[in-house]
Every structure is written in C-alpha cells, then in structure tokens.
Amino acid sequence: MAKFYGEIGYGETVETPAGSGVYVDAITEVAYYGDVTRNTRRLQTGENLNSDISVSNTISIVADEYAVAHIFAIRYIRWEGVLWTVTNVEVQSPRLLLSIGSVYNGPTAP
C-alpha cells in the first residue's frame, strides 16, 4: 500500500461582493496523511481530440474534526502533483475514504 501526503480542497459558497447576488466557491486547502488503497487508471476516448485520463483510485485519510464537519464541501485532492476531483466520500471512522476520478478544473485556493 502506497503512502499519501497532500492537500484536500474544501469549497464554501460565498457571495462576492456582499449583496451582489454573485456566488463563488471560496477554497480552503488542508494537508493530510493517508494511504492509497486502490490505484487504477482508465483512458476514455470520446469526442475530444485527445483521450481523457481518469483514475478510479481510493485514498484513505485520517480525518480530523474539520474533515468530518466539512465532508460535503470536499472538492478536490492534490495527488502526484495533480488536482483530482473527489467523486465519493465514505466515512469509516476515524478515516475518510476518498474516491477520485478525473482531473479537477475548478477554483483552487489562492
């Protein structure tokens, strides 16, 4: 089993500027240790010029109070130098099992 250390991005929807009616995701990154419990990749051919790479990996992290309280705000995980979209989160206290899929292209922490 491979070891993991990286950041998880949490998104909180906030109105910016206040009173504008425009809402954006404010991202906060928190670093965690864990294990890569499943490590696979899939090449998807489609309508794009180049094939899309996605993974079906599961990363198990030791959850702190912040992770448990903000489980629904998890947007991405930084693994192997790439931001990956977190597609599923399973609670197995004291751990969270994060399933990841395609490359994340949304907002990131400043």
Side-chain angles (χ1 to χ4, degrees):
M1 187 177 329
K3 296 294 180 187
F4 165 80
Y5 177 77
E7 294 82 25
I8 293 178
Y10 296 88
E12 179 183 357
T13 304
V14 294
E15 187 176 16
T16 306
S20 68
V22 176
Y23 291 86
V24 297
D25 271 347
I27 304 293
T28 302
E29 286 187 351
V30 180
Y32 291 95
Y33 286 96
D35 300 302
V36 179
T37 58
R38 183 172 184 222
N39 192 4
T40 63
R41 85 144 176 100
R42 181 176 61 241
L43 190 62
Q44 293 179 304
T45 56
E47 298 177 10
N48 299 333
L49 179 61
N50 297 318
S51 298
D52 294 329
I53 294 177
S54 63
V55 294
S56 297
N57 296 0
T58 302
I59 296 176
S60 171
I61 63 162
V62 178
D64 58 9
E65 289 182 31
Y66 186 86
V68 173
H70 295 87
I71 189 172
F72 299 106
I74 295 174
R75 302 287 192 262
Y76 65 84
I77 189 167
R78 186 182 311 271
W79 179 62
E80 298 290 331
V82 178
L83 298 179
W84 299 95
T85 302
V86 175
T87 58
N88 188 48
V89 180
E90 181 181 343
V91 178
Q92 287 188 356
S93 190
R95 293 184 164 267
L96 294 180
L97 302 180
L98 307 174
S99 299
I100 59 177
S102 60
V103 173
Y104 177 79
N105 293 310
T108 59

